[in-house]
Amino acid sequence: MIDKLEFFIALAREEHFGRAAEMCGVTQPTLSAGIKQLEDQLGVMLVKRGSRFQGLTPEGVQVLTWARRIVSDTRSMKEEMRAAKHGLSGRIRIAAIPTALAMVARLTTPFREKHPGVTFSVLSRTSIEVLSLLGNLDIDAGITYLDNEPLGRVTSVPLYDERYQLITAAGTEYSDRDQVTWEEVSSLPLCLLTPDMQNRRIIDQHLAEAGVQVRPTLESNSMIVLFSHIRTGKWSSIMPLNLAETFGFSEPIRAIPIVEPDARHAVGLVTAPRDPQTPLVQALLDEATALAGNLRREAAAKVGSTRNR
């Protein structure tokens, strides 16, 4: 039954019998037969029949919710028994928005020091993809925005507030300023993330609130591409403060706070809303809570240091 439910989940995700079979490591006839047997056991049609995948029946949509829950519970049971016998081990799958990728190491490094039997898979994904992967059981946790667009039902741990800075080369317009407004930033040749990224939608939102619109001269879904163009001195960008600090910008690159408004958006760890969580996910949530405390203390110390200057 569990194998057949796994087949059904894969088919609903891939919407293609061949790709679903490949994902499950079986032949297409084996996957099709397994789903037909599942239909016979449940006494309902799950998949609209045709020469190719045409979608799920209404009953299939209902069964998909149960299938995800049952498969998730089964994985949790196996993981809990393995942890009870051997300690925490296995692989944690994380998907993070691009602007949070640099922060992932602060979560995974101390975690693995405590649990050396655990390995990680880290993917760069949009915020929408993070939630989709989480709902389909394709990842164990995501790092994404918590307060800008709807999250649905998730368990979340706020990590930090994302604030925004103009990243530009020395000698360019505004490079000698201590701060710059959103309206002023709009006049620069900008390279930004692509519109499918929530970070870009946030930036567009704040620019619109300032009464300006921007057509960037370059768009990319890669932070590396943006960094390389900034370093030419011909482009500027808008990036989160924590990202700029992580990459340690120095001359001839400047990071200048953007104000009016001084915008902030919460970023955090999200997992499926389970009770209890699997041992691996619960340990990750605990590590995220500890990291959030460390980040708050670091931010408070930085503010105190600035005031004492």
Side-chain angles (χ1 to χ4, degrees), residues 4-290:
K4 294 166 190 171
L5 292 175
E6 294 262 22
F7 292 170
F8 182 57
I9 292 172
L11 179 61
R13 179 177 61 245
E14 297 298 325
E15 299 183 344
H16 187 278
F17 282 93
R19 290 197 300 269
E22 185 178 349
M23 289 292 296
C24 294
V26 298
T27 64
Q28 184 171 329
T30 298
L31 182 130
S32 297
I35 290 177
K36 182 63 171 65
Q37 291 166 10
L38 182 61
E39 291 177 322
D40 292 341
Q41 287 179 286
L42 297 176
V44 294
M45 297 288 288
L46 302 177
V47 181
K48 296 176 183 177
R49 288 294 187 265
S51 58
R52 62 183 64 183
F53 181 83
Q54 296 180 0
L56 303 181
T57 64
E59 294 82 5
V61 173
Q62 288 181 279
V63 169
L64 180 61
T65 300
W66 281 100
R68 287 171 173 162
R69 187 181 308 170
I70 292 167
V71 168
S72 178
D73 285 344
T74 303
R75 292 177 182 176
S76 299
M77 179 183 66
K78 291 179 179 178
E79 186 181 307
E80 194 164 318
M81 294 305 99
R82 185 172 64 245
K85 187 174 182 179
H86 303 293
L88 283 182
S89 62
R91 178 177 292 271
I92 296 180
R93 302 161 300 168
I94 300 172
I97 55 175
T99 56
L101 284 171
M103 183 64 66
V104 175
R106 295 200 58 175
L107 186 64
T108 55
T109 302
F111 187 98
R112 195 166 186 278
E113 288 175 354
K114 297 171 186 173
H115 309 290
V118 175
T119 59
F120 295 91
S121 171
V122 179
L123 305 173
S124 175
R125 293 291 185 268
T126 68
S127 56
I128 294 173
E129 290 171 335
V130 168
L131 296 179
S132 176
L133 291 168
L134 198 61
N136 288 332
L137 308 180
D138 291 326
I139 58 172
D140 303 296
I143 300 178
T144 187
Y145 295 100
L146 302 182
D147 62 358
N148 187 58
E149 296 178 356
L151 285 174
R153 292 183 63 248
V154 296
T155 297
S156 63
V157 176
L159 293 175
Y160 61 90
D161 284 342
E162 190 176 84
R163 299 171 63 191
Y164 305 95
Q165 298 206 339
L166 170 66
I167 309 300
T168 192
T172 59
E173 188 175 6
Y174 305 131
S175 64
D176 59 345
R177 298 271 292 274
D178 293 327
Q179 61 184 33
V180 64
T181 67
W182 288 92
E183 182 177 4
E184 289 170 330
V185 165
S186 68
S187 66
L188 299 174
L190 293 175
C191 55
L192 300 174
L193 287 171
T194 49
D196 60 323
M197 300 291 178
Q198 191 171 169
N199 170 267
R200 171 63 184 283
R201 296 195 292 276
I202 287 172
I203 289 172
D204 286 347
Q205 171 191 329
H206 290 304
L207 289 167
E209 289 169 352
V212 293
Q213 284 187 328
V214 168
R215 292 183 178 177
T217 52
L218 182 142
E219 296 176 324
S220 176
N221 62 359
S222 167
M223 300 304 297
I224 299 300
V225 170
L226 300 188
F227 289 140
S228 63
H229 282 79
I230 293 167
R231 291 189 181 280
T232 67
K234 304 298 183 182
W235 274 276
S236 301
S237 189
I238 301 171
M239 293 185 182
L241 170 62
N242 65 290
L243 189 64
E245 291 176 339
T246 299
F247 279 88
F249 286 124
S250 59
E251 296 295 344
I253 302 298
R254 292 214 55 213
I256 305 164
I258 304 176
V259 296
E260 298 181 21
D262 179 8
R264 301 166 185 247
H265 292 277
V267 174
L269 184 81
V270 295
T271 66
R274 294 182 46 83
D275 186 18
Q277 293 283 359
T278 68
L280 276 176
V281 171
Q282 185 57 56
L284 188 66
L285 287 167
D286 293 342
E287 193 64 50
T289 301

